[in-house]
Amino acid sequence: MSIKKRFIFVFFLFILAQIKAEDGYDLWLRYVPVTDAKRLIEYQSLIKSIAFYGHSATIEAAKEELNRGLKGLLRKNIPLSKTGNIIIGTAQNVGLSETIVSQKSLKSIGNEGYIIGSKNANIYIIANTDIGVLYGTFHFLRLLQTNQSIHQLDILEKPLVKNRILNHWDNLNRHVERGYAGQSIWDWHRLPDYIDPRYKDYARANASIGINGVSPINVNANAQTMTPQYLIKIKALADVFRPYGIKMYLTARFSAPIEIGKLKTADPLDPSVQKWWKDKVDEIYQYIPDFGGFVVKANSEGQPGPQSYGRNHAEGANMLADALAAHGGIVMWRAFVYEASKEDRHKHGYNEFKPLDGQFRKNVMVQVKNGAIDFQPREPFHPLFGQMPQTPIIPEFQITHEYLGQATHLVYSGTLFKECLASDTYAKGKGSTVAKVMDGSLDGHELTGVAGVANIGSDRNWCGHPFLQSNWYAFGRLAWNHQLDADKIAAEWLFLTFHHSGEKPVSSQAFADNFMIPMRQILSNSRENMVNYMTPLGLHHIMGYGHHYGPAPWVDFGSRPDWNCTYYHKADSTGIGFDRTAKGSDALSQYHPSVSAAFSDIKTCPEAYVLWFHHLPWDHKMQSGRNLWDELCFKYYGGVESVRNTQKYWNNSSQYIDKQRFEEVKMLLTVQEKEAVWWRNACLLYFQTFSKKPITEGYEKPDKDLDYYKNLKFPYAPGN
Ligand code: GCW
């Protein structure tokens, strides 16, 4: 071994000796030592000392983060000095000349963007605001974390969407609706005096990916949250979040004026109700001067709303919007509404909201789920996207995996988010993507946003499954820039999360070849694989009743027709699928004619959506040449096989990563494999009672019968 090599080897061992155990708590902010010797030399020569400009809690947060990051990455304290060569602050505080950062660039980055540039021996992280400075600092750290060169930096970043918000479905008793990672992280009992250090780490994680809003409490709302007893607790959280650029939002219970205000009505046109909300909003701003506004679920799944008083959604939303307007607050009014009626559930949101386009106040956004039913493993985009040009639309994605395995399945949702964002609504001709509806460019809206239903709980690793942190990460990264590639985000997350976590040294090359390449592929296919073993070819809503855990396509005992699985798959002796063409429910007519024509024609409808929109005979010939039944078998069996392949890769990866997370994921993959088989067997055995066809020759046969699966009960399934 040459002296140089020996040195590198010893250095490596030295660093490894100092690494603490990995348990997932640090998320993607691990700041482990840079081991690439060439890069380390580069970083050490270019990062000599730091000059921070400005004084604010946000600048302090940036300083603290950079310190923490550099200490971990470079294993040394980089001094702060007025003459530092890393110059960080707002352009105004730094007092930069035009030759370093042009006014034009500064203008282009807006309130939250930043510039990272090199000039002579200096590196500049510059923004218009302190929060831009913090975002730039996180970006700079990410460059080092991912071993990128910091020579000749020329980065200009700004978010494409203004309000990037996490919606928690956490109840005041700490139960998380559709949460699978333990209790709520909000410890209401001990707030406001006990500030769990997690709150700050949560804020750091969010800021690092650009999330700038949090609605901490369930949309199935509780009026208590707006009482002084809770407002003081919420204020304490808001105080922790503020330096990280995170605004606080609350879910507003529409009947709060009755429940906590002692009024007789919550009618939005009643002056006493309007006054009550105005006073309440003023009071909230006393606690939280930069309060963001309300998220509202009204007249949906039993929640109160304006319709109880013969008023429509716009009248309800506008009342709240008026109360918030003076303070600059906004309303995010959800379009997730459907009632028990003969009409296809797919059509309800559109039918109720489309006619209200143009009737909402300027500070109202209509919050639309990615698809028309409910966060299924795959849904075509919601027909409201592109169809309410006068109203700012905020898409809502589900980061938590209610319908995607309830946090025991390794499934990356970045590809799901991206699939929806890339969908073309054709509202203004080809290229009118959902992303353009979201970023306001399609219809010229200034008010823009995106919401994600959080998958965070008090589990040590935050998200229950080590890999599901990737979905929080991907949501934030895409919220900031929807043009990013979902695969690249997955790779970035993988590297940040796992690199250099193994117990024995491995070369970067070996890590890249044997961990990064296969795992990136696995992440990138994971959602499609899940669709295959759960709901292939456009099947949807065939999960367990109420708790939504596991397969139960036989459910026909729901208290409402649209809570039955049979309502959605419509399997019978003639075939399977929901006819939403003009011959059926005609939900397709809600899309732009170009979209509806493509989806209506069986020849052009993507097979991924075919049973979503069509009822097809069991013998229908698919593109593969197989008949529909055999295609279903092919998909279900293929889905299970893909989980088994993932297991094989994973089992070979132990030497590249830490033991704890390796073992956790290994066990979870065992669960996933069993559940994939469960989904496959239960669904095929059930659908077989209609198709009367045998499971394709050559496949392993289900080892249990249909009754076995039908008799499984889960009264204590989590998240319910
Ligand atoms: O997906 C469904 C969930 C409900 C949820 C609802 C909603 C908060 O099963 O638990 O309620 O959506 O989005 O309002």
Side-chain angles (χ1 to χ4, degrees):
M1 226 191 250
S2 71
I3 293 187
K4 195 172 153 208
K5 275 197 182 144
R6 211 174 299 166
F7 169 76
I8 292 174
F9 187 71
V10 171
F11 170 71
F12 217 109
L13 290 182
F14 166 74
I15 282 169
L16 280 173
Q18 303 186 38
I19 292 175
K20 60 178 169 30
E22 299 276 358
D23 56 17
Y25 182 83
D26 290 340
L27 296 158
W28 46 87
L29 300 174
R30 289 169 53 245
Y31 305 134
V32 293
V34 175
T35 50
D36 181 322
K38 209 176 99 212
R39 276 288 179 255
L40 189 66
I41 293 167
E42 176 191 324
Y43 295 164
Q44 281 170 343
S45 72
L46 290 175
I47 305 175
K48 294 195 202 93
S49 65
I50 317 267
F52 261 103
Y53 286 79
H55 300 280
S56 70
T58 299
I59 291 296
E60 284 312 310
K63 233 185 245 178
E64 190 183 300
E65 196 68 32
L66 193 64
N67 236 319
R68 177 201 294 252
L70 294 181
K71 204 164 158 190
L73 289 155
L74 308 182
R75 288 276 137 192
K76 69 183 214 204
N77 282 319
I78 306 290
L80 281 176
S81 115
K82 279 208 174 111
T83 55
N85 80 314
I86 309 290
I87 295 156
I88 309 178
T90 62
Q92 206 186 9
N93 284 337
V94 176
L96 282 177
S97 73
E98 178 78 8
T99 53
I100 294 178
V101 180
S102 73
Q103 284 305 317
K104 198 169 146 225
S105 316
L106 281 175
K107 220 170 161 195
S108 74
I109 58 173
N111 280 337
E112 293 180 300
Y114 51 84
I115 292 164
I116 308 180
S118 315
K119 189 89 183 187
N120 306 327
N122 294 338
I123 292 175
Y124 294 89
I125 304 177
I126 301 297
N128 291 314
T129 60
D130 288 347
I131 193 62
V133 171
L134 178 67
Y135 287 152
T137 304
F138 273 116
H139 188 138
F140 182 68
L141 282 167
R142 190 160 62 230
L143 294 176
L144 309 185
Q145 286 177 281
T146 49
N147 288 350
Q148 295 181 58
S149 173
I150 55 167
H151 266 300
Q152 302 307 327
L153 291 169
D154 184 13
I155 295 168
L156 192 148
E157 276 277 339
K158 64 158 186 199
L160 300 182
V161 161
K162 274 199 187 125
N163 300 295
R164 307 173 297 277
I165 303 180
L166 281 186
N167 286 190
H168 289 254
W169 286 355
D170 298 16
N171 296 325
L172 296 184
N173 64 5
R174 297 192 78 175
H175 176 263
V176 182
E177 182 158 346
R178 312 311 178 183
Y180 312 97
Q183 283 197 303
S184 168
I185 52 173
W186 319 125
D187 184 354
W188 300 113
H189 179 59
R190 291 193 286 176
L191 278 164
D193 298 312
Y194 184 87
I195 303 294
D196 190 323
R198 258 195 188 230
Y199 303 149
K200 184 164 150 188
D201 289 330
Y202 166 86
R204 289 175 49 232
N206 279 332
S208 75
I209 49 176
I211 288 171
N212 67 358
V214 168
S215 168
I217 301 162
N218 198 347
V219 288
N220 288 330
N222 187 329
Q224 291 304 315
T225 55
M226 286 186 289
T227 58
Q229 188 193 352
Y230 278 92
L231 286 176
I232 194 168
K233 297 170 193 276
I234 292 159
K235 170 197 160 34
L237 287 178
D239 290 343
V240 178
F241 299 164
R242 187 169 299 108
Y244 291 89
I246 297 168
K247 268 194 185 172
M248 178 63 82
Y249 297 82
L250 285 177
T251 46
R253 180 145 166 105
F254 205 78
S255 49
I258 304 173
E259 288 161 26
I260 56 169
K262 300 203 177 101
L263 298 192
K264 294 240 150 39
T265 174
D267 181 351
L269 298 195
D270 184 306
S272 66
V273 173
Q274 294 170 349
K275 177 164 186 320
W276 187 87
W277 279 107
K278 198 185 160 298
D279 293 346
K280 183 48 78 183
V281 165
D282 291 346
E283 182 189 348
I284 295 173
Y285 277 92
Q286 300 265 308
Y287 288 90
I288 308 166
D290 53 354
F291 178 63
F294 292 132
V295 184
V296 190
K297 172 174 178 178
N299 293 119
S300 165
E301 299 186 327
Q303 292 299 302
Q307 292 176 340
S308 322
Y309 306 94
R311 316 297 182 195
N312 65 32
H313 288 289
E315 287 166 320
N318 291 345
M319 173 196 55
L320 297 177
D322 288 342
L324 288 158
H327 304 276
I330 61 170
V331 175
M332 287 158 284
W333 190 273
R334 297 174 86 228
F336 177 68
V337 296
Y338 63 105
E339 63 201 24
S341 77
K342 289 229 163 60
E343 191 67 282
D344 176 3
R345 170 172 168 189
H346 196 292
K347 297 170 79 172
H348 288 218
Y350 179 99
N351 283 349
E352 283 197 42
F353 279 83
K354 164 88 182 158
L356 300 177
D357 190 27
Q359 295 184 32
F360 291 95
R361 295 282 191 272
K362 290 232 161 352
N363 56 337
V364 176
M365 309 188 80
V366 170
Q367 184 159 317
V368 179
K369 285 189 182 182
N370 60 296
I373 301 296
D374 195 0
F375 296 140
Q376 295 299 294
R378 167 166 281 131
E379 295 200 27
F381 68 93
H382 200 298
L384 274 175
F385 291 120
Q387 306 283 341
M388 292 186 71
Q390 300 182 64
T391 313
I393 300 291
I394 168 167
E396 174 178 328
F397 293 100
Q398 198 176 42
I399 308 171
T400 189
H401 277 176
E402 173 179 5
Y403 301 100
L404 284 79
Q406 308 204 337
T408 54
H409 296 214
L410 189 166
V411 176
Y412 172 60
S413 298
T415 44
L416 184 162
F417 305 154
K418 191 71 193 197
E419 181 174 285
C420 171
L421 293 170
S423 297
D424 198 341
T425 70
Y426 279 85
K428 289 202 165 153
K430 199 169 160 42
S432 307
T433 58
V434 173
K436 287 188 185 163
V437 176
M438 172 173 82
D439 71 18
S441 61
L442 192 69
D443 297 303
H445 291 295
E446 286 290 315
L447 181 58
T448 57
V450 57
V453 181
N455 63 346
I456 296 159
S458 52
D459 275 7
R460 179 72 190 158
N461 70 12
W462 303 87
C463 302
H465 188 308
F467 269 80
L468 299 186
Q469 299 175 351
S470 64
N471 298 326
W472 179 5
Y473 188 80
F475 171 76
R477 300 285 285 130
L478 286 169
W480 179 274
N481 180 1
H482 57 71
Q483 288 162 358
L484 293 176
D485 181 90
D487 280 354
K488 285 199 186 133
I489 296 174
E492 187 177 273
W493 173 83
L494 261 180
F495 191 82
L496 292 170
T497 306
F498 286 109
H499 95 280
H500 192 28
S501 66
E503 268 154 38
K504 295 204 187 92
V506 284
S507 74
S508 317
Q509 197 58 48
F511 182 73
D513 293 346
N514 304 325
F515 184 81
M516 286 300 293
I517 294 177
M519 286 317 293
R520 175 181 177 164
Q521 193 65 38
I522 281 168
L523 277 186
S524 143
N525 296 338
S526 57
R527 182 282 191 125
E528 193 66 45
N529 294 337
M530 151 164 289
V531 168
N532 288 340
Y533 65 72
M534 281 190 177
T535 54
L537 302 175
L539 286 173
H540 52 289
H541 209 290
I542 54 173
M543 67 289 159
Y545 188 74
H547 50 64
H548 298 167
Y549 174 60
W554 46 82
V555 167
D556 61 359
F557 47 76
S559 53
R560 284 167 52 162
D562 52 357
W563 285 347
N564 287 325
C565 298
T566 49
Y567 173 97
Y568 296 94
H569 61 68
K570 303 212 186 302
D572 57 20
S573 61
T574 68
I576 182 170
F578 199 134
D579 185 356
R580 294 190 161 111
T581 67
K583 295 190 278 58
S585 80
D586 202 24
L588 272 165
S589 65
Q590 296 182 330
Y591 289 94
H592 185 276
S594 309
V595 177
S596 90
F599 288 167
S600 296
D601 185 345
I602 190 68
K603 289 198 245 21
T604 48
C605 179
E607 284 194 345
Y609 300 140
V610 80
L611 301 180
W612 188 286
F613 291 122
H614 299 269
H615 188 83
L616 296 182
W618 294 107
D619 279 325
H620 177 83
K621 196 162 174 198
M622 305 295 289
Q623 278 156 19
S624 63
R626 284 181 279 271
N627 67 39
L628 173 58
W629 168 255
D630 284 329
E631 187 75 7
L632 271 182
C633 292
F634 176 77
K635 294 281 184 191
Y636 273 111
Y637 275 85
V640 169
E641 257 342 281
S642 66
V643 179
R644 292 178 179 157
N645 277 331
T646 302
Q647 288 182 294
K648 276 187 213 141
Y649 276 110
W650 188 257
N651 293 343
N652 283 331
S653 71
S654 63
Q655 55 184 303
Y656 303 105
I657 63 161
D658 53 288
K659 197 162 163 36
Q660 177 166 336
R661 290 183 298 171
F662 171 76
E663 292 297 341
E664 282 171 7
V665 173
K666 189 172 169 204
M667 290 186 283
L668 288 163
L669 282 169
T670 307
V671 177
Q672 184 176 358
E673 194 269 346
K674 280 191 188 155
E675 295 196 353
V677 169
W678 172 28
W679 271 89
R680 178 196 74 190
N681 290 354
C683 293
L684 285 176
L685 287 170
Y686 169 75
F687 292 134
Q688 191 177 39
T689 63
F690 304 100
S691 79
K692 307 273 188 244
K693 290 178 184 292
I695 286 179
T696 314
E697 198 57 46
Y699 288 141
E700 64 190 19
K701 297 289 171 275
D703 57 348
K704 309 261 185 347
D705 62 12
L706 181 57
D707 279 342
Y708 167 83
Y709 292 112
K710 280 182 153 177
N711 285 325
L712 296 173
K713 299 276 178 300
F714 304 96
Y716 307 113
N720 194 13

